[in-house]
């Protein structure tokens, strides 16, 4: 999607954002009769009105205040998704947004909803040309948005497109090696450093969690390290992002039942897609932050050499783990990355992972389950960012008693907790490998849509990325 600011009036298709009927008088493009028609529609509680001037289309979006501003802005994003559908149905290539409402952010969020809803993944479709969306460009009348906002909007949309595409790519393209290559390309495009550890290097480091999960696969694992360090930096010590990079999760020998639970398991690298796309945006926006991101990647498969329930493995940290379920693999690869993160003496570590069905079962597709040891102030900032972006957070407790559920006689820890608190025991497992302020985001419920959800298209959603970018953009500011 192309975004631009118009210096003088142009374009055939216009979307006017209004917050009351009186604003209609400020739209010279409408005749007296059309204004009357629109006023009647508004009186009848319509919020989206189309006026066809034959060759010229005028769209009206009435924004109504909800209880909170962030709820109002989410209705704007959803409205944007509706307008994208209208534009594509009418085969429009461009649209100009005018904001006559009192809510400045309405123009940004409506455009954001349009851009995100306009995403398509057509790489494997022979009829791609026929079904490609017509909408290519969103322009703003110059009062509607600042240059800084335009830049942020454009980079955010691009980053989300990248994240979604990585999730949508199936395993027969996106192996662990290919994922590392894609991340290397993102680094080249945006200007951050990428180092990829291959299998021999992962073995040399003795990253026992990653290697155990990888044993069933004939393809090698990768461990990707990204770093963005601009000249002007406001954080004293680095912020580290960690993303689960299971490029496919069969469950391993503790095989998942097919079909329902395996259908979407190419999306088990959504955390990796999220953090690498976040790095892309951070570098493109030139945020004044020193940020490192880590992606441990492999498939989880039942091969003839696969790790086996009952195995005791030695993790990168030296901790021994009894593997009682090979489907609890995400925490094993993440634990090695979290241990690696200690070398940076980080200010904050955040991980994103499609970690547990329990998180999805608890709150569904309506938000992210989070937990962690970060300070309350940081947690509050995350909550605020989650609300602003409508990628809301539900914090679960990391009480000691949940940690007791990971005790076993034969090793330091076991990799599953039992029937209760599945999202939390997974979090407790990860906590064991941290010695710094840390937050864990379980995105199992939100990262993949089986049906269109407003501006989240079918497949990878990139959900959580806007929340993280909002948090980083406000980082260090009160
Ligand atoms: N990748 C799955 C979690 C998942 C489930 C993501 C559904 C998206 C949708 C993870 O590796 C897993 O299998 N977790 C197990 C853990 C259990 C064996 C303790 C789960 O949640 O069932
Ligand atoms: Mn699993
Ligand atoms: Zn998994």
């Amino acid at each position: 999607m192309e975004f631009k600011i118009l210096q003088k009036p142009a374009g055939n298709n216009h979307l006017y954002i209004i917050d009351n009927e009186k604003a209609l008088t400020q739209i010279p493009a409408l005749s007296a009769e059309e204004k009357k028609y629109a006023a009647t529609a508004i009186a009848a509680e319509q919020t989206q009105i189309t006026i066809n001037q034959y060759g010229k289309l005028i769209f009206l979006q009435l924004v109504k205040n909800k209880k909170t501003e962030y709820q109002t802005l989410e209705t704007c994003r959803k409205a944007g998704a509706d307008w994208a559908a209208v534009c594509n149905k009418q085969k429009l290539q461009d649209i100009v947004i005018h904001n006559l409402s009192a809510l400045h952010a309405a123009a940004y969020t409506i455009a954001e909803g349009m851009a995100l809803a306009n995403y398509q993944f057509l790489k494997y479709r022979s009829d791609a040309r026929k079904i490609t969306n017509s909408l290519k460009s969103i322009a703003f009348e110059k009062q509607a948005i600042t240059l800084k906002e335009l830049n942020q909007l454009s980079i955010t949309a691009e980053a989300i497109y990248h994240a979604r595409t990585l999730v949508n790519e199936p395993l027969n393209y996106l192996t662990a090696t290919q994922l590392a290559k894609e991340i290397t390309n993102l680094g080249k495009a945006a200007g951050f450093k990428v180092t990829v550890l291959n299998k021999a290097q992962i073995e040399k480091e003795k990253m026992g969690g990653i290697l155990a999960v990888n044993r069933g696969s004939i393809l090698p694992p990768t461990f990707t390290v990204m770093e963005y360090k601009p000249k002007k930096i406001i954080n004293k010590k680095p912020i580290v992002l960690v993303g689960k990079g299971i490029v496919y999760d069969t469950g391993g020998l503790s095989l998942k039942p097919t079909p329902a639970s395996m259908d979407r398991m190419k999306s088990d690298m959504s955390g990796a897609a999220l953090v690498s796309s976040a790095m892309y945006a951070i570098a493109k926006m030139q945020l004044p932050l020193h940020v490192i991101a880590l992606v441990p990647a492999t498939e989880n498969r039942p091969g003839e050499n696969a790790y086996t329930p009952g195995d005791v493995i030695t993790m990168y940290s030296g901790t021994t783990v009894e593997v009682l379920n090979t489907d609890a693999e995400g925490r094993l690869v993440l634990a090695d990355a979290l241990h690696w993160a200690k070398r940076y003496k980080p200010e904050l570590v955040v991980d994103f992972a499609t970690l547990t069905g329990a998180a999805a079962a608890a709150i569904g597709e309506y938000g992210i389950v989070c937990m962690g040891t970060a300070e309350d102030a940081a947690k509050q900032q995350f909550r605020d960012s989650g609300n602003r972006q409508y990628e809301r957070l539900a914090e679960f407790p990391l009480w000691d008693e949940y940690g007791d559920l990971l005790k076993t006689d034969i090793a330091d820890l076991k990799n599953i907790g039992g029937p209760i608190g599945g999202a939390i025991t997974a979090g407790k497992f990860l906590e064991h490998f941290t010695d710094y302020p840390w937050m864990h985001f379980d995105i199992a419920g939100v990262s993949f849509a089986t049906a269109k959800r407003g501006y989240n298209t079918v497949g990878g959603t990139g959900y959580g990325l806007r929340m993280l970018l909002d948090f980083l953009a406000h980082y260090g500011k009160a």
Side-chain angles (χ1 to χ4, degrees), residues 244 249 256 264-265 268 325 327-331 354-358 415-416 444:
K244 174 175 172 182
D249 185 10
K256 285 181 187 294
R264 46 158 294 185
M265 280 305 142
D268 214 17
N325 190 321
D327 199 11
E329 85 298 339
R331 61 199 73 182
T354 46
L355 202 62
T356 64
N415 79 329
I416 51 168

Side-chain angles (χ1 to χ4, degrees), residues 374-451:
E375 282 174 23
D376 281 341
K379 287 183 178 177
Q380 186 58 46
Q381 300 265 357
F382 273 118
R383 239 186 325 267
D384 291 344
S385 294
N387 285 341
R388 276 195 291 267
Q389 301 301 326
Y390 218 74
E391 294 182 329
R392 293 164 300 178
L393 304 177
E395 188 183 356
F396 281 15
L398 283 173
W399 296 329
D400 292 343
E401 288 78 358
Y402 292 108
D404 295 340
L405 301 176
L406 296 170
K407 284 186 175 152
T408 169
D409 290 337
I410 196 175
D412 301 338
L413 284 176
K414 57 185 165 108
N415 79 329
I416 51 168
I420 61 120
I424 303 177
T425 49
K428 286 306 280 186
F429 185 93
L430 298 180
E431 184 189 12
H432 184 93
F433 300 87
T434 65
D435 69 356
Y436 37 65
W438 158 76
M439 283 303 285
H440 159 57
F441 296 95
D442 193 329
I443 53 172
V446 293
S447 61
F448 195 88
T450 45

Side-chain angles (χ1 to χ4, degrees), residues 209-362:
I210 299 171
L211 291 166
V213 177
N214 180 250
R215 270 178 45 183
S217 175
I218 55 168
L219 298 173
T222 54
F223 186 83
T224 302
V225 183
M226 297 157 249
E227 181 167 23
Y228 178 66
K229 193 176 185 185
K231 284 203 183 78
K232 186 171 171 269
I233 291 170
I234 58 172
N235 51 331
K236 290 193 196 78
K237 296 178 291 175
I239 297 167
V240 181
L241 314 176
V242 177
K244 174 175 172 182
I246 296 296
V247 284
Y248 195 83
D249 185 10
T250 67
L253 283 175
S254 311
L255 192 64
K256 285 181 187 294
T258 180
S261 60
M262 233 189 271
D263 288 358
R264 46 158 294 185
M265 280 305 142
K266 67 173 182 182
S267 70
D268 214 17
M269 35 57 71
S270 295
L274 194 154
V275 303
S276 54
S277 304
M279 289 301 281
Y280 175 88
I282 292 162
K284 279 256 171 172
M285 289 178 192
Q286 298 180 297
L287 297 185
L289 296 172
H290 182 196
V291 190
I292 289 162
L294 309 173
V295 167
T298 173
E299 309 144 68
N300 182 28
R301 269 189 193 277
E304 59 187 359
N305 195 37
Y307 78 140
T308 306
D311 278 358
V312 176
I313 63 174
T314 302
M315 306 289 284
Y316 187 31
S317 69
T319 301
T320 56
V321 173
E322 181 185 21
V323 176
L324 286 178
N325 190 321
T326 61
D327 199 11
E329 85 298 339
R331 61 199 73 182
L332 301 176
V333 303
L334 287 170
D336 283 357
L338 291 171
H339 178 69
W340 173 286
K342 290 173 189 162
R343 69 182 59 200
Y344 306 113
K345 308 250 173 301
E347 193 160 287
L348 176 66
V349 175
V350 299
D351 77 72
F352 286 84
T354 46
L355 202 62
T356 64

Side-chain angles (χ1 to χ4, degrees), residues 77 81 112-121 133 156-170 174 186 266-267 269-270 272-274 276-277 391 446-449 452-466:
R77 290 187 195 93
E112 182 169 68
M114 290 180 91
L116 296 185
N118 206 50
Y119 170 85
Q120 289 177 295
F121 182 67
N133 286 334
T156 302
E158 257 187 82
I160 292 172
Y161 278 29
H162 284 309
R164 288 180 179 179
T165 296
L166 286 172
V167 173
N168 290 335
E169 281 289 3
L174 198 79
L186 286 177
K266 67 173 182 182
S267 70
M269 35 57 71
S270 295
L274 194 154
S276 54
S277 304
E391 294 182 329
V446 293
S447 61
F448 195 88
K452 187 172 183 287
R453 300 176 195 152
Y455 51 86
N456 281 319
T457 44
V458 174
T461 59
Y463 195 113
L465 185 47
R466 284 184 294 115

Side-chain angles (χ1 to χ4, degrees), residues 145-167:
I145 200 164
T146 67
L147 195 58
K148 193 176 168 221
E149 288 165 340
L150 186 89
N151 191 45
Q152 185 187 322
L153 171 61
S154 162
I155 294 169
T156 302
E158 257 187 82
I160 292 172
Y161 278 29
H162 284 309
R164 288 180 179 179
T165 296
L166 286 172
V167 173

Side-chain angles (χ1 to χ4, degrees), residues 76-96:
C76 289
R77 290 187 195 93
K78 287 191 172 145
D82 296 337
W83 288 119
V86 171
C87 289
N88 286 314
K89 202 164 169 219
Q90 302 275 353
K91 300 269 175 265
L92 308 184
Q93 290 184 12
D94 45 51
I95 180 127
V96 184

